[in-house]
Amino acid sequence: MDMQNRVGSKFGGGGVMNDGQSARDRKERLRQLAMETIDLAKDPYFMRNHLGTYECKLCLTLHTNEGSYMAHTQAKKHQTNLKRRAKEDEDKQKALNVLNQAKDSQYGRQIKQARVKIGRPGYSLTKSVDASGAKCLSFAINYPEIKEGIVPRYRFMSSYEQRVEVPDKNFIFLLFAAEPYETIAFKIPNKPMDKSEGRFVTSWVDGVFNLTLFYLVEKEG
């Protein structure tokens, strides 16, 4: 980079960077550092998508080339997320160690017994469209042998959290869980949902957990 012939600099001097030039210079230095120290083949968060661009599965960012991704790995956002993930992994390992230590105790045997699964629950899924054109999904999950005092739970999971198939930002997963049944998941469109009254409802009646959701009507054009 020509530091001598900058606008406003003295002849023979190094010149003074403005904020934009300083940012570009720093980004280039980070990219060069990453290229010397990172092996993309061993990076678990580096992914090339079907469009030919690159993604960071940790930060959910898009990059036009490998150099851009490498510069991103040295930036604050990526480094912060790496520390957060490392802390989460550490906490999970500590919890696993506690469970392993309890295996030979009476409490440990009770935990193991409580986690015996009896298979997947029966279910039905109904798709419909109401008068306004809003698409609707209705789930009915059957739990006839659910443990006393247990209420089924559900949650939405990002496509990037699962390890079964290639992540796709156009879809998310809806999970249902209740002991002693196995957890089941449904792959549904990742579109804005209508959270107004009566448009996202759940119920738990006579061993059947129901969840009905509506998507917002997509505006044309």
Side-chain angles (χ1 to χ4, degrees):
M1 182 177 290
D2 186 359
M3 305 289 286
Q4 177 173 314
N5 298 316
R6 291 181 184 278
V7 176
S9 65
K10 294 181 179 180
F11 179 75
V16 179
M17 289 186 178
N18 59 35
D19 292 341
Q21 292 167 332
S22 178
R24 287 194 297 272
D25 182 66
R26 179 177 180 275
K27 186 174 182 179
E28 176 62 20
R29 285 188 284 109
L30 289 175
R31 186 182 73 84
Q32 292 293 340
L33 175 63
M35 292 181 69
E36 295 174 0
T37 58
I38 296 178
D39 183 358
L40 291 180
K42 298 180 181 179
D43 188 339
Y45 305 117
F46 176 72
M47 182 185 76
R48 182 171 182 175
N49 59 32
H50 66 287
L51 298 176
T53 55
Y54 302 92
E55 297 182 17
C56 175
K57 294 190 289 185
L58 178 64
C59 306
L60 304 183
T61 54
L62 294 175
H63 305 275
T64 55
N65 53 56
E66 293 182 359
S68 172
Y69 173 81
M70 289 179 174
H72 162 73
T73 63
Q74 304 302 305
K76 180 178 180 181
K77 180 178 181 180
H78 190 82
Q79 293 297 319
T80 299
N81 286 337
L82 282 176
K83 293 178 181 179
R84 175 180 56 78
R85 177 59 62 87
K87 182 63 169 60
E88 291 176 355
D89 292 343
E90 180 183 355
D91 292 342
K92 290 179 181 179
Q93 187 60 47
K94 288 181 179 179
L96 181 60
N97 291 340
V98 171
L99 289 176
N100 289 336
Q101 293 172 1
K103 282 183 177 180
D104 296 330
S105 66
Q106 181 63 32
Y107 179 66
R109 288 193 293 271
Q110 291 176 353
I111 293 177
K112 184 176 181 180
Q113 182 178 5
R115 292 191 173 185
V116 174
K117 302 294 184 180
I118 62 174
R120 297 179 180 179
Y123 66 86
S124 65
L125 168 59
T126 303
K127 302 178 182 180
S128 60
V129 179
D130 70 4
S132 68
K135 296 180 180 180
C136 171
L137 296 177
S138 295
F139 302 86
I141 316 299
N142 300 308
Y143 294 112
E145 298 182 39
I146 194 171
K147 291 183 176 297
E148 183 178 354
I150 297 294
V151 176
R153 296 173 291 115
Y154 72 91
R155 82 175 184 94
F156 293 99
M157 182 176 73
S158 165
S159 176
Y160 293 93
E161 292 183 63
Q162 53 85 35
R163 297 292 182 268
V164 177
E165 58 184 59
V166 177
D168 186 343
K169 63 181 180 181
N170 294 313
F171 294 92
I172 58 175
F173 291 84
L174 174 55
L175 280 62
F176 294 93
E179 293 290 349
Y181 291 89
E182 294 181 9
T183 299
I184 59 174
F186 298 86
K187 185 177 180 180
I188 64 175
N190 184 17
K191 295 182 178 181
M193 298 180 189
D194 188 347
K195 296 299 182 66
S196 60
E197 185 176 357
R199 307 293 281 181
F200 190 102
V201 295
T202 63
S203 64
W204 170 232
V205 181
D206 296 332
V208 179
F209 185 77
N210 296 282
L211 184 150
T212 298
L213 63 88
F214 285 84
Y215 288 102
L216 293 174
V217 178
E218 298 181 0
K219 296 181 180 180
E220 298 182 358

